Amino acid sequence: MPLLDNLIEALRVLPGIGPKSAQRMAYHLLQRDREGAARLAQTLQKALGEIRHCDSCNTFTEAPVCDRCSNPQRDATQLCVVEMPSDLMVMESTQSYRGLYYVLMGRISPLDGIGPRELKLDRLLARATDAVVQEVIIATNFTNEGEATAHYVGEMLRARGLKVSRIARGVPVGGELEHTDLGTVAQAFAERRGW
Amino acid sequence: MPLLDNLIEALRVLPGIGPKSAQRMAYHLLQRDREGAARLAQTLQKALGEIRHCDSCNTFTEAPVCDRCSNPQRDATQLCVVEMPSDLMVMESTQSYRGLYYVLMGRISPLDGIGPRELKLDRLLARATDAVVQEVIIATNFTNEGEATAHYVGEMLRARGLKVSRIARGVPVGGELEHTDLGTVAQAFAERRGW
């Protein structure tokens, strides 16, 4: 098989990239951006060799334990559970939380064959029951899969006597009822808080 | 900058990949398909080192002159001009042409800063005036840019006394007038052939 076909085939490991896109990418890399392509090959190789999961929070890191988990300034009694490192970054950007995290690196998704075992929820259980954590805040997405994950994780941790909470769902800040989807408005009504 | 951010940045050399997609790709490669990622890094490096342009037809190849151009069975008096290697493959799939090719590796596109000079049309001119080629068949796309390219290339080669033709435009084989766009029907009418 010609090397060009090998390259097109190899590019298809990228999520959401079919044969046509892979072909366009191969042409682009070989024709228009050989320097960027070389950088990509090198960075990918280096990343595969050096990036691992944090022993404590499971996020991507180059050290055994990431900077955040080794920071004594963070409040170790709170543990926030998120799906992906990008969700962790969003939480951090709010600057409203100074506890620690646990990154699931996915969500329960039966259609993709991802259940509690594949998500290695026993690792989260071990992490949350370290006798220091007092509250677990579940911040998975409000999609069907994120909700199912939240439900499963919540039950699992409550059974061990941990205090568990879920971030609030409702009308977005600055949102007008008229432009908010009905399901969200209904939930916001049902989960109204006393003043 | 953490290595993960480097990887996300490096993935953005891929055409059509923004920051969100690059992040998703990085997670996928590190989390779900390290083997495929390693294969991609290696293949990309090898391809960059070994794939070049055919000295004769300008397509991607690993040899100085590609197999097709060195094949004495092909009719060297006909030269078909296409935009990309994928177009060449389509022409070959029809099994209706046994001449040679010239691959422009692009098209004239003023908006992208690609003119005759960037397309290195002087190389095509040198190739077509080798005293063996008798007919040049222009098979660029029927897009605005492909048509502009065809026009420019056609004028350039006709000025050198070469016989130039353009592949036909019209209603697709098996196509019904009712389901063909009006521009195509109008063109097919204007370019009707005597029986």
Side-chain angles (χ1 to χ4, degrees):
Chain A
M1 183 154 82
L3 193 44
L4 179 62
D5 294 342
N6 287 340
L7 177 59
I8 293 170
E9 189 58 37
L11 283 163
R12 295 200 50 201
V13 303
L14 298 170
I17 301 303
K20 282 275 170 194
S21 302
Q23 189 183 59
R24 209 180 62 237
M25 284 178 172
Y27 290 170
H28 177 87
L29 293 173
L30 290 170
Q31 177 76 4
R32 305 235 178 270
D33 197 358
R34 284 183 166 247
E35 209 174 295
R39 206 165 47 238
L40 171 58
Q42 283 151 21
T43 311
L44 185 51
Q45 218 140 31
K46 192 160 146 59
L48 287 168
E50 300 179 18
I51 294 181
R52 55 193 302 289
H53 293 285
C54 171
D55 287 342
S56 177
C57 76
N58 201 35
T59 197
F60 290 125
T61 176
E62 291 151 64
V65 172
C66 74
D67 288 350
R68 200 171 297 104
C69 287
S70 9
N71 181 351
Q73 306 286 83
R74 310 276 318 200
D75 178 358
T77 67
Q78 291 193 312
L79 188 72
C80 177
V81 177
V82 294
E83 293 181 23
M84 296 300 289
S86 44
D87 301 319
L88 185 159
M89 296 317 295
V90 171
M91 282 295 296
E92 285 292 281
S93 305
T94 67
Q95 302 195 335
S96 61
Y97 177 67
R98 44 180 298 279
L100 295 175
Y101 291 90
Y102 187 86
V103 182
L104 295 172
M105 288 289 171
R107 58 211 66 82
I108 292 177
S109 174
L111 285 178
D112 301 315
I114 301 174
R117 192 199 310 267
E118 287 70 28
L119 268 188
K120 304 202 183 82
L121 290 185
D122 48 333
R123 281 200 54 200
L124 165 59
L125 187 60
R127 173 69 187 87
T129 54
D130 68 347
V132 178
V133 171
Q134 285 166 21
E135 180 186 3
V136 177
I137 301 132
I138 304 181
T140 55
N141 290 320
F142 285 98
T143 57
N144 286 340
E145 295 173 345
E147 289 279 56
T149 307
H151 182 78
Y152 191 98
V153 167
E155 292 294 310
M156 177 182 84
L157 297 178
R158 252 200 306 271
R160 295 304 186 98
L162 277 160
K163 181 179 165 197
V164 178
S165 61
R166 177 86 168 106
I167 58 167
R169 180 167 51 177
V171 180
V173 173
E176 296 171 307
L177 294 196
E178 194 182 341
H179 301 117
T180 305
D181 74 284
L182 294 183
T184 297
V185 176
Q187 283 289 349
F189 182 80
E191 293 174 19
R192 64 194 178 277
R193 301 171 60 179
W195 270 26
Chain B
M1 184 154 82
L3 192 44
L4 178 62
D5 294 340
N6 286 341
L7 177 58
I8 293 170
E9 190 56 38
L11 283 163
R12 295 201 49 200
V13 303
L14 298 170
I17 300 305
K20 283 275 170 194
S21 303
Q23 188 183 61
R24 208 179 64 235
M25 284 178 170
Y27 290 171
H28 177 88
L29 293 172
L30 290 170
Q31 176 77 5
R32 306 233 177 271
D33 198 357
R34 284 183 166 249
E35 211 175 293
R39 203 165 50 237
L40 171 58
Q42 284 152 20
T43 312
L44 184 51
Q45 218 140 33
K46 193 159 145 57
L48 287 168
E50 299 179 19
I51 295 181
R52 55 192 303 289
H53 293 284
C54 172
D55 286 342
S56 177
C57 75
N58 200 35
T59 197
F60 290 125
T61 175
E62 291 150 65
V65 172
C66 75
D67 289 350
R68 200 171 296 104
C69 288
S70 9
N71 181 353
Q73 306 284 83
R74 310 277 316 200
D75 178 358
T77 67
Q78 291 193 311
L79 188 71
C80 177
V81 177
V82 294
E83 294 181 23
M84 296 299 289
S86 44
D87 301 320
L88 185 159
M89 296 317 295
V90 171
M91 283 294 297
E92 286 292 280
S93 305
T94 67
Q95 302 195 335
S96 61
Y97 178 66
R98 44 181 298 279
L100 295 176
Y101 291 91
Y102 187 87
V103 182
L104 296 171
M105 288 290 172
R107 59 211 64 81
I108 292 177
S109 174
L111 285 179
D112 301 315
I114 301 175
R117 191 199 310 267
E118 286 70 29
L119 267 189
K120 304 200 181 83
L121 289 185
D122 49 333
R123 281 201 54 199
L124 165 58
L125 187 60
R127 173 69 188 85
T129 55
D130 68 347
V132 178
V133 171
Q134 285 167 23
E135 180 186 5
V136 177
I137 301 133
I138 304 180
T140 55
N141 291 321
F142 285 98
T143 57
N144 286 340
E145 296 173 347
E147 289 279 56
T149 307
H151 182 78
Y152 191 98
V153 167
E155 292 294 309
M156 177 181 86
L157 298 178
R158 251 199 308 269
R160 295 303 186 99
L162 277 159
K163 181 179 166 198
V164 177
S165 60
R166 176 88 169 105
I167 58 167
R169 181 168 50 175
V171 179
V173 174
E176 296 171 308
L177 293 196
E178 195 183 339
H179 300 117
T180 304
D181 76 283
L182 293 184
T184 299
V185 177
Q187 283 290 349
F189 182 79
E191 292 173 20
R192 64 194 177 277
R193 301 171 58 179
W195 269 27

